[in-house]
Amino acid sequence: MAQVVVYGHRDSLRARRAALSDAIHGAVMAALGYPAEKRFQRFIPLDDEDFIHPDDRGTDYTIVEISLFEGRSERARRQLIQELFDRIEQATGTAPHSVEITLFETPRASWGIRGMNASDLQLGYAVDV
């Protein structure tokens, strides 16, 4: 499971949302072997006064937070981060300097999905990549 939250400046995020969505999902599929139909994303547009950061990040500054079931190897997590930087830059022109990524891993037993504990779900994809 991967739940993605993307924060950015309201106008910039609105203009790049579709490209960001595709880039992020492409990175998740490439690095983690995630199914194409499992896209779970939320975009949080912020007013300039609510999104404070160093000036050198620019108005395209974007924060990507991904919550994952634990179990991915360090290699897979590193690949995901690199895929995100590369694909976001290619799709939107946003320099890696203006993107920050955080992966949050939690045990499956800490997730509730489709009315059940995630430990009891048959996923249809591997977590231990």
Side-chain angles (χ1 to χ4, degrees), residues 50-123:
D50 294 324
F51 197 27
I52 301 166
H53 55 79
D55 290 338
D56 68 338
R57 300 307 195 273
T59 58
D60 285 346
Y61 179 57
T62 305
I63 297 173
V64 179
E65 297 179 345
I66 303 178
S67 296
L68 304 161
F69 292 155
E70 68 181 356
R72 274 70 177 207
S73 66
E74 181 178 334
R75 180 201 58 76
R77 293 188 314 268
R78 286 176 168 270
Q79 181 183 351
L80 175 57
I81 289 170
Q82 191 59 58
E83 289 277 348
L84 286 164
F85 283 132
D86 294 346
R87 289 171 184 259
I88 289 170
E89 184 173 29
Q90 290 170 356
T92 69
T94 305
H97 177 76
S98 294
V99 177
E100 292 191 18
I101 301 159
T102 306
L103 305 179
F104 299 99
E105 291 187 298
T106 55
R108 284 175 62 170
S110 296
W111 292 64
I113 302 169
R114 292 179 275 166
M116 60 182 18
N117 188 279
S119 291
D120 301 326
L121 287 175
Q122 298 299 316
L123 296 176

